[in-house]
Amino acid sequence: QRFKDHCLIVVGAGGKADEVLCQRRLQAGGRLAHFLMRCPEDPRVTFSITDDGLQHDFFTWQPPKGTMGISSFAAKLQAKPRTFWTKNGPDGIELGETHCLTVRYGTTGTPRHVTVTDEKGNILVEMSGQVVVDPDMYTAETLQVDVHNTELNAFGSFSWRFVTLAVIFQLLWQIGKISLSIN
């Protein structure tokens, strides 16, 4: 359940089923990452079942960097580019021509991890969560997307507008306190 709660990772071509599934997840208040591929049989997407003797699933979290931009599909979902301090909206990138996306299966046999590498094998993105590859409309409408552990809901980040307002308020408060304590 913790992988489902942490992030829903959708690997798809950006069709109607992708949109329905992603909108449902965002309405549920959970994190979302979408990796846009060309078609359902995109050769850049591979699957890996590792039998390395692990008894417990591992967890990785290296979301796409701001320099990777956002896909046109993610822009429809109100995604904004990542900055150093903030990230608004879901993560969503389009696989580059030289990128390779590998879906890795967890110890339970379900897809849990996504790794995006460049042509040299450098890891660009590595995320763990509930992975859905090329969902159909039935999956998009019936998949359980709710977040049970509320501590894993997506959370807001600060806004300079509100930070500036708070600093001005605190400054006025401190000036008032000092001026009253002098008397």
Side-chain angles (χ1 to χ4, degrees):
Q1 184 63 48
R2 64 187 173 95
F3 283 99
K4 288 181 181 181
D5 283 353
H6 192 272
C7 186
L8 175 63
I9 302 169
V10 180
V11 180
K16 185 66 175 165
D18 286 13
E19 189 173 347
V20 168
L21 181 59
C22 292
Q23 289 292 351
R24 286 183 59 230
R25 177 60 176 203
L26 292 174
Q27 289 171 358
R31 269 189 206 96
L32 172 71
H34 186 273
F35 295 90
L36 188 62
M37 58 184 183
R38 276 181 270 179
C39 62
E41 293 83 26
D42 195 329
R44 298 171 298 169
V45 178
T46 59
F47 298 88
S48 172
I49 300 173
T50 57
D51 185 21
D52 52 11
L54 288 176
Q55 298 298 315
H56 304 286
D57 266 331
F58 58 91
F59 183 85
T60 58
W61 191 254
Q62 181 182 341
K65 294 183 171 99
T67 56
M68 295 182 81
I70 58 171
S71 67
S72 57
F73 181 81
K76 289 194 304 187
L77 298 172
Q78 307 301 318
K80 302 284 187 264
R82 181 180 303 278
T83 64
F84 185 77
W85 290 104
T86 62
K87 171 65 179 115
N88 295 320
D91 287 304
I93 63 166
E94 185 170 352
L95 288 179
E97 290 301 317
T98 60
H99 293 167
C100 177
L101 184 141
T102 304
V103 177
R104 299 186 191 284
Y105 287 78
T107 57
T108 60
T110 55
R112 295 278 187 241
H113 316 284
V114 169
T115 305
V116 177
T117 55
D118 63 11
E119 68 276 0
K120 296 177 185 173
N122 298 320
I123 295 175
L124 304 174
V125 177
E126 194 168 30
M127 300 173 78
S128 295
Q130 178 182 13
V131 180
V132 179
V133 179
D134 193 29
D136 57 10
M137 193 54 81
Y138 177 77
T139 302
E141 293 173 345
T142 60
L143 185 71
Q144 191 267 331
V145 295
D146 295 333
V147 180
H148 293 281
N149 184 349
T150 56
E151 292 181 4
L152 292 177
N153 272 344
F155 56 89
S157 56
F158 70 87
S159 161
W160 282 112
R161 180 179 60 213
F162 293 116
V163 170
T164 304
L165 184 64
V167 167
I168 291 170
F169 176 75
Q170 287 293 324
L171 181 64
L172 292 173
W173 177 259
Q174 294 300 327
I175 290 172
K177 277 179 34 180
I178 292 172
S179 63
L180 289 175
S181 68
I182 293 175
N183 293 332

